Amino acid sequence: MKALRTLIAVPALIAGIICASARPEITWRETFHNFGAFNEDAGTARTTFRYVNTGDEPLIVIGARTTCGCTLADYSRSPLAPGDSAAITVEYDPAGRPGRFEKGIIVDTNTEPRRTRLTIKGTVVGGEATVRAQYPVGHDPLALRNATALVGDVVKGHMKTIFINAYNRSNDTISPQISPLPPYIHVSLEPASIPPGEQASFIVYFRSDKCDVWGLTETPVAITPAPGADPFELPVVASVVEDFSALTDRQREKAPVIDFSPRRIEIPDLPPPGTPAEATLRITNRGRSPLEIRRIYSPDPGIQAATPRKTTVKPGKHIDVTITVDTARLPGEILNARITVISNDPTNPVENIRLTGEPAPVSPNKQ
């Protein structure tokens, strides 16, 4: 009887062992996918992760959970027979998401271990609308945040730094080249090579100690975005100013004082185009120390201020400056321009003199 029980128990034990070892097993063909660089306007990016049931029982995908609403996973809920294969389709929506991304998909199955993590990554190159909203200045394949590098006031002897953000809107890495510059400007790019869909910054250094021009300066910086691309100019605009903050009250009392005659220049009868008109501006020093004329210029087309032979004016003395108007270069028939004078007068270091005028009336006999 005992032997009979043993004969019955052994097959049952073997059957139990076989049942215990029979289970589904998942084998993934891949668990990582790199989309690389692709344009936002191309729409949703898709890939598939294939897997095989290498076990002995039906395989069931219980769920596939993404870590972001921009990522979706589609899979079959039906049991997968041993030896069969299937796939999970993963989609990434790039709309409004320029730049690098890396997302995870958590897949739960009736296997041991139960959980698998799938990963997708890539770089979204911003579409036309997205890039234009953040980088409105286009110089393909580069886009800039600003069209001009506005440095602002720079105290003489000091340096000022500003940043112009840029974006690579192509699918290739680019290394923009910067043409040689004058000694008072240095421009570098960080990083020097910009991967597709990535940002960078042009770092602009303005050194006023190496700039001989007082007041407003505009220096074009020639940049070639990539081989074969059209070069463009990034204007660097700065104004070199003098620092009078350290002057004492006594020094200010003895300082030079600039005065003009006239304070407003009127040319009542402008000659026809091709014939220049001239006027004289007298600059007088009403102060008690020498007046240094740093610069006399006009930002308006057609206006030229002759550099005076003497730029130092002693107390109580004056100099005359000839102003020439080229009527052919005026933006219209009416003259409305200005002359800027920069000096070492601490109270009024920058003065603007207005120039106005109208064409001479046409004689009835010439009509």
Side-chain angles (χ1 to χ4, degrees), residues 14-294:
I14 293 173
I17 293 174
I18 293 174
C19 290
S21 62
R23 63 175 181 263
E25 185 173 334
I26 190 168
T27 300
W28 293 92
R29 300 295 190 192
E30 62 279 316
T31 58
F32 172 82
H33 179 76
N34 187 354
F35 287 105
F38 63 97
N39 196 281
E40 175 189 0
D41 291 341
T44 301
R46 297 178 178 84
T47 188
T48 56
F49 293 94
R50 302 196 66 82
Y51 58 92
V52 179
N53 181 3
T54 52
D56 303 314
E57 292 290 331
L59 171 67
I60 300 174
V61 176
I62 300 171
R65 176 170 52 86
T66 61
T67 57
C68 173
C70 57
T71 309
L72 298 176
D74 185 35
Y75 59 94
S76 173
R77 275 73 171 171
S78 301
L80 184 67
D84 286 352
S85 64
I88 291 179
T89 301
V90 176
E91 298 181 350
Y92 180 77
D93 182 4
R97 300 179 177 91
R100 294 183 183 181
F101 68 89
E102 182 170 323
K103 303 296 178 182
I105 303 94
I106 307 301
V107 180
D108 289 324
T109 59
N110 63 334
T111 62
E112 186 60 42
R114 173 185 177 183
R115 181 160 291 179
T116 302
R117 179 183 173 89
L118 308 177
T119 303
I120 59 171
K121 68 178 295 186
T123 301
V124 177
V125 179
E128 189 70 26
T130 299
V131 173
R132 192 185 303 113
Q134 299 185 39
Y135 300 90
V137 184
H139 298 289
D140 283 337
L142 203 62
L144 304 182
R145 182 72 55 85
N146 306 96
T148 304
L150 296 176
V151 180
D153 289 346
V154 186
V155 174
K156 187 67 172 178
H158 293 246
M159 182 179 75
K160 193 171 181 180
T161 306
I162 66 165
F163 299 84
I164 300 293
N165 293 331
Y167 183 81
N168 178 7
R169 57 188 304 174
S170 74
N171 291 345
D172 300 310
T173 297
I174 61 174
S175 300
Q177 299 300 306
I178 302 168
S179 297
L181 293 168
Y184 56 89
I185 291 180
H186 176 72
V187 179
S188 63
L189 181 63
E190 182 61 39
S193 295
I194 316 173
E198 295 287 328
Q199 302 177 57
S201 291
F202 286 100
I203 308 174
V204 181
Y205 305 87
F206 189 95
R207 293 192 56 175
S208 64
D209 60 323
K210 294 183 177 292
C211 183
D212 296 331
V213 179
W214 288 86
L216 188 67
T217 64
E218 181 174 326
T219 307
V221 176
I223 300 172
T224 302
D230 293 333
F232 67 93
E233 289 186 348
L234 175 67
V236 176
V237 180
S239 182
V240 179
V241 299
E242 192 166 355
D243 183 11
F244 298 102
S245 61
L247 293 181
T248 63
D249 290 343
R250 182 169 179 79
Q251 287 174 323
R252 289 182 177 274
E253 289 177 2
K254 298 178 66 176
V257 177
I258 195 168
D259 192 20
F260 300 95
S261 178
R263 301 290 303 188
R264 179 189 182 101
I265 300 175
E266 296 185 6
I267 304 179
D269 296 325
L270 287 175
T275 304
E278 290 188 351
T280 300
L281 174 65
R282 174 161 291 185
I283 301 176
T284 303
N285 181 5
R286 304 291 184 190
R288 298 163 60 187
S289 296
L291 175 70
E292 299 292 341
I293 305 300
R294 307 294 193 195

